[in-house]
Amino acid sequence: MQYLLLIYENEKRFATGYDPAEMKEYMAFGETYGKAIKGGNALRATTTATTVRVRDGKRLTTDGPFAETKEQLGGFYLVEANNLDDAIEMAGKIPGARFGCVEVRPIETFS
Amino acid sequence: MSELEDVFRTEWGRILSALIQTLGDFDLAEEVLQEAFSSAVVQWTTGAPRNPRGWLYATAKHRAIDIIRRRTNFAEKQTELVIREECRTGNFIEEDSAVPDERLRLIFTCCHPALPAEAQIALTLRTLCGLTTEEIAHAFLLPTATIAQRLVRAKTKIRKAGIPYRVPSAPDVSERLAVVMAVVYLVFNEGYSAALGDTLVRQELCAEAIRLARLLQALLPEPEPELDALLALMLLHDSRRSARVQANGELVLLAEQDRTRWNRAQIEEGCALVQSVFQRGPVGAYAIEAAIAALHASAPRAEETDWRQISVLYGRLFALHRSPVVALNHAVALSMAKGPEAALPLVDALQSSLEDYHLWHATRADLLRRIGRTAEAVSAYQRALELAQNEVERKFLNRRLEELAF
């Protein structure tokens, strides 16, 4: 099964850039789970976000994320895992889990 | 027919656990096992087969194959292939073939932390204990539809989120076992808080919880002291069941209970378990609580209760769990060991966290009554009465108030 591991943290922590020690941890995570990781990225701050809606056929574009929350989506991994327990184990090894939280979402399949 | 009921009680969880392992599908396993029991009602009229478990397992599996054959979904066809493979290898039709015991997988899956607590409880009672949805609803005083919905959502999540059907690997097992034990204890407490007038099904939850703890004890590869302690705790509480409530539904205080009505065999087993847990090394919260219950249970008369020791144990429990309710119990024990004057300041200090808890007011009222500050005791009892929900507890508080009026 595939799972999306969504990393939520208070993005203020990255206002002045990334901590090099933490970056190294992310590199190590990538190496450990290299085979399982199908994709993933860090995201720029929500201040750079744009929200798009279509209502009555008209496109509405606004700035910022759709809702104000304490923790923001800051990055993600797409991983292949045998089951939820294996995905949970990977999620627990993401450095961001120590500061914010990681949501584990199974990928829907259409047959 | 009662023979079949016995088989149902003892075999449901075991056969279901094996079927889920083979079929990889909770719903299908449950459906076909239900049907196998229905067939048994008809076919066992002249007596049960030599191996009832094997008969039920084989019948349910046959039925599952019929159902799968009629389905067209590709994913399910794959399951069928696995089963057909088993048929070919010949270990399937044999009624006498051993039915694998997969109940440990089943309980860890039902109590997976990715499921909400109330779903863990419902699923455990339904699958391992074989309680019907109606019985669970009855026991928890909830509409059947609510329990049915919890079960459906839980099974959907197991399937769609990929919750595995397995015993967790070594590094996770203690964390996961804590969840399982919490579920068992919640089942017990739901039954224990049931009073007279409540249905028998509610009180049977205590027996189910004890059965689950014993089952876990038998299935775990390594002995687990906290599980032994939990079993002891439940046995010791349950030993007082028939002495706790009067015929008129009034709660009987521990000090006033008729100790000859306590279940001696359960007390002996509980005390022996506590002793062995404490001998084995560092103890957890269940062990400390069980030791407190054991001290109460071994006092021949209420006046002979070792309150000094109990107060020490509550102190240790508070060191593990800094909960205000534990602190309140510690104060009660201290009041018995050293007098109400020594305990009152401790109780008063808990006001900000327990102001809305009826037992905080009831405890305070009791201390004030014993010190002789009657007017303050009366108003504390009145406040406790305003907050108490349980009818049995309300009766008790009313009686105390009446006594103070004279």
Side-chain angles (χ1 to χ4, degrees):
Chain A
M1 279 182 80
Q2 288 200 336
Y3 295 85
L4 195 62
L5 311 181
L6 300 133
I7 308 161
Y8 289 89
E9 305 189 47
N10 189 332
E11 62 189 5
K12 284 189 189 131
R13 215 163 64 77
F14 309 111
T16 55
Y18 295 98
D19 171 14
E22 198 182 333
M23 288 303 279
K24 266 193 191 156
E25 283 188 62
Y26 272 97
M27 301 282 274
F29 174 82
E31 270 170 38
T32 309
Y33 294 106
K35 273 192 192 148
I37 296 169
K38 301 296 160 199
N41 275 112
L43 303 177
R44 288 186 175 160
T46 53
T47 48
T48 65
T50 308
T51 301
V52 178
R53 289 179 182 79
V54 176
R55 297 288 181 274
D56 301 324
K58 261 175 64 182
R59 192 181 69 204
L60 296 165
T61 307
T62 49
D63 88 302
F66 65 93
E68 288 285 330
T69 48
K70 262 194 222 151
E71 290 177 337
Q72 298 79 24
L73 180 61
F76 65 90
Y77 286 102
L78 177 66
V79 300
E80 179 75 43
N82 288 325
N83 53 52
L84 182 62
D85 283 1
D86 290 356
I88 287 172
E89 196 191 318
M90 275 187 251
K93 300 277 166 59
I94 297 175
R98 297 204 304 271
F99 305 97
C101 62
V102 178
E103 187 176 317
V104 180
R105 295 281 293 269
I107 298 296
E108 183 65 284
T109 47
F110 299 94
S111 52
Chain B
M1 196 47 59
S2 87
E3 186 187 5
L4 186 58
E5 270 167 26
D6 278 353
V7 174
F8 187 91
R9 213 92 195 91
T10 52
E11 297 295 343
W12 171 271
R14 166 124 188 211
I15 305 172
L16 187 68
S17 72
L19 285 169
I20 295 171
Q21 169 72 1
T22 312
L23 303 170
D25 184 332
F26 268 69
D27 282 323
L28 181 61
E30 213 181 299
E31 185 188 330
V32 294
L33 184 53
Q34 197 76 63
E35 286 184 30
F37 272 102
S38 303
S39 314
V41 173
V42 182
Q43 297 188 31
W44 294 12
T45 43
T46 52
R50 198 158 42 86
N51 176 0
R53 181 194 291 162
W55 188 95
L56 287 160
Y57 183 59
T59 307
K61 254 172 133 182
H62 276 296
R63 182 74 195 116
I65 290 180
D66 285 347
I67 292 173
I68 291 168
R69 282 206 180 115
R70 265 181 250 129
R71 290 183 180 169
T72 51
N73 185 300
F74 176 72
E76 278 150 347
K77 283 271 184 192
Q78 282 186 318
T79 316
E80 182 185 359
L81 290 178
V82 176
I83 294 172
R84 278 189 178 153
E85 194 52 45
E86 267 187 64
C87 289
R88 256 198 298 279
T89 55
N91 58 11
F92 162 57
I93 309 280
E94 260 302 288
E95 182 192 302
D96 288 340
S97 68
V99 179
D101 191 349
E102 306 290 2
R103 284 175 294 182
L104 199 54
R105 288 174 197 262
L106 185 55
I107 194 163
F108 274 112
T109 304
C110 291
C111 300
H112 197 282
L115 298 171
E118 65 268 18
Q120 294 170 352
I121 292 169
L123 204 56
T124 302
L125 290 172
R126 174 78 197 102
T127 60
L128 268 133
C129 306
L131 265 61
T132 63
T133 308
E134 289 76 20
E135 282 171 331
I136 299 167
H138 211 139
F140 284 84
L141 310 176
L142 287 166
T144 303
T146 306
I147 298 295
Q149 195 180 43
R150 280 180 193 173
L151 288 169
V152 168
R153 283 192 184 149
K155 284 185 278 190
T156 306
K157 180 151 188 189
I158 288 173
R159 195 174 64 247
K160 292 203 166 174
I163 292 176
Y165 191 58
R166 70 170 189 198
V167 176
S169 49
D172 298 330
V173 89
S174 67
E175 178 203 343
R176 294 283 304 276
L177 193 59
V179 180
V180 174
M181 290 194 288
V183 166
V184 172
Y185 198 35
L186 281 168
V187 169
F188 181 84
N189 278 326
E190 189 66 28
Y192 197 64
S193 63
L196 203 86
D198 274 326
T199 62
L200 204 60
V201 181
R202 266 171 82 71
Q203 300 189 10
E204 283 219 329
L205 289 176
C206 292
E208 291 298 348
I210 290 172
R211 246 160 48 115
L212 279 169
R214 288 194 196 281
L215 177 67
L216 266 172
Q217 224 184 12
L219 293 175
L220 284 176
E222 301 276 331
E224 173 58 48
E226 269 296 88
L227 177 63
D228 291 353
L230 173 62
L231 177 60
L233 178 60
M234 295 191 298
L235 285 169
L236 290 164
H237 280 320
D238 193 60
S239 73
R240 297 198 287 264
R241 169 200 301 284
S242 56
R244 274 177 80 224
V245 183
Q246 280 175 354
N248 62 2
E250 232 173 278
L251 191 67
V252 186
L253 279 189
L254 191 57
E256 293 160 11
Q257 286 174 14
D258 174 2
R259 295 182 180 224
T260 61
R261 292 177 67 195
W262 289 0
N263 183 325
R264 283 291 139 200
Q266 277 186 222
I267 291 174
E268 267 169 41
E269 191 189 351
C271 288
L273 279 168
V274 171
Q275 211 155 33
S276 93
V277 169
F278 271 75
Q279 276 163 2
R280 272 182 276 169
V283 293
Y286 290 128
I288 296 172
E289 285 188 62
I292 293 167
L295 284 171
H296 282 300
S298 17
R301 294 181 307 136
E303 304 81 72
E304 292 173 62
T305 308
D306 188 348
W307 285 106
R308 191 173 301 274
Q309 180 95 307
I310 290 174
S311 132
V312 170
L313 286 166
Y314 271 120
R316 282 177 73 177
L317 191 58
F318 186 71
L320 284 180
H321 277 304
R322 304 205 151 264
S323 112
V325 174
V326 173
L328 185 65
N329 284 318
H330 183 217
V332 171
L334 203 74
S335 83
M336 299 304 287
K338 298 194 174 157
E341 295 87 352
L344 190 59
L346 296 181
V347 174
D348 283 340
L350 296 168
Q351 178 166 13
S352 59
S353 33
L354 294 178
E355 216 167 4
D356 297 326
Y357 183 46
H358 67 283
L359 288 181
W360 180 77
H361 293 278
T363 305
R364 212 173 149 266
D366 186 59
L367 296 179
L368 290 165
R369 177 185 64 85
R370 284 156 62 193
I371 294 170
R373 286 157 65 177
T374 310
E376 287 166 88
V378 168
S379 69
Y381 274 125
Q382 281 164 343
R383 185 69 191 125
L385 202 54
E386 284 166 25
L387 294 167
Q389 302 283 331
N390 184 313
E391 210 36 57
V392 176
E393 283 176 330
R394 295 176 55 83
K395 271 191 186 161
F396 167 76
L397 292 168
N398 265 318
R399 183 160 61 102
R400 274 279 190 252
L401 263 176
E402 280 164 25
E403 284 166 5
L404 283 180
F406 291 107

